[in-house]
Amino acid sequence: MGQSSMITLLDAVKHNKKFPSFQIPDINTRENMKVNQFAKLVFEGGEYTERMWVRITDAAQGIYIGKLIDTPTCNEYIELLTEPIQFRPENIIDING
């Protein structure tokens, strides 16, 4: 995530193990996402956390690249609108498309 070094992505698998009521898509679904599908990720930075949708633009070898499609409500995340977002299956909390 480029210069957004203070922003990290939640590891949804670890979070799910700690809090089982926090449900995530199954591993097979998360590992087989395709270009133009949408993944919801949790962005964490400083005191703010935000859940936002990302459209997958590239997928290879367990790594996804996407573009943020939501407009962040927190100013800390505004720069993400122009940056490619790199994430892995364990970061995905929801899927659409």
Side-chain angles (χ1 to χ4, degrees), residues 2 7 10 19 29 41 46 54-55 66 68 72-73 79 85 95-96:
I7 299 170
L10 176 76
F19 303 101
T29 304
L41 311 175
V54 173
R55 183 178 57 82
L68 191 66
T73 58
E79 65 189 70
I85 309 296
I95 293 169
N96 191 347

Side-chain angles (χ1 to χ4, degrees), residues 6-11 42-46 48-50 76-77:
M6 299 299 288
I7 299 170
T8 60
L9 295 173
L10 176 76
D11 184 323
V42 177
F43 295 83
E44 301 176 308
Y48 300 102
T49 299
E50 202 161 337
E76 284 185 57
Y77 301 126

Side-chain angles (χ1 to χ4, degrees), residues 2 11 16 25 29-31 38-39 41-42 47 50-51 56 62 65 72 76 78-79 83 86:
D11 184 323
N16 171 259
T29 304
R30 288 183 286 114
E31 288 182 345
F38 298 92
L41 311 175
V42 177
E47 59 189 82
E50 202 161 337
R51 298 175 183 205
I56 296 173
I65 305 293
E76 284 185 57
I78 292 295
E79 65 189 70
E83 294 184 11
Q86 181 175 315

Side-chain angles (χ1 to χ4, degrees), residues 9-16 22 24-25 27 30-31 40-42 62-64 87-93:
L9 295 173
L10 176 76
D11 184 323
V13 174
K14 287 182 182 176
H15 196 73
N16 171 259
F22 181 81
I24 58 175
I27 190 167
R30 288 183 286 114
E31 288 182 345
K40 186 175 266 189
L41 311 175
V42 177
I63 297 175
Y64 299 111
F87 60 100
R88 301 182 62 82
E90 59 265 24
N91 301 120
I92 299 171
I93 66 165

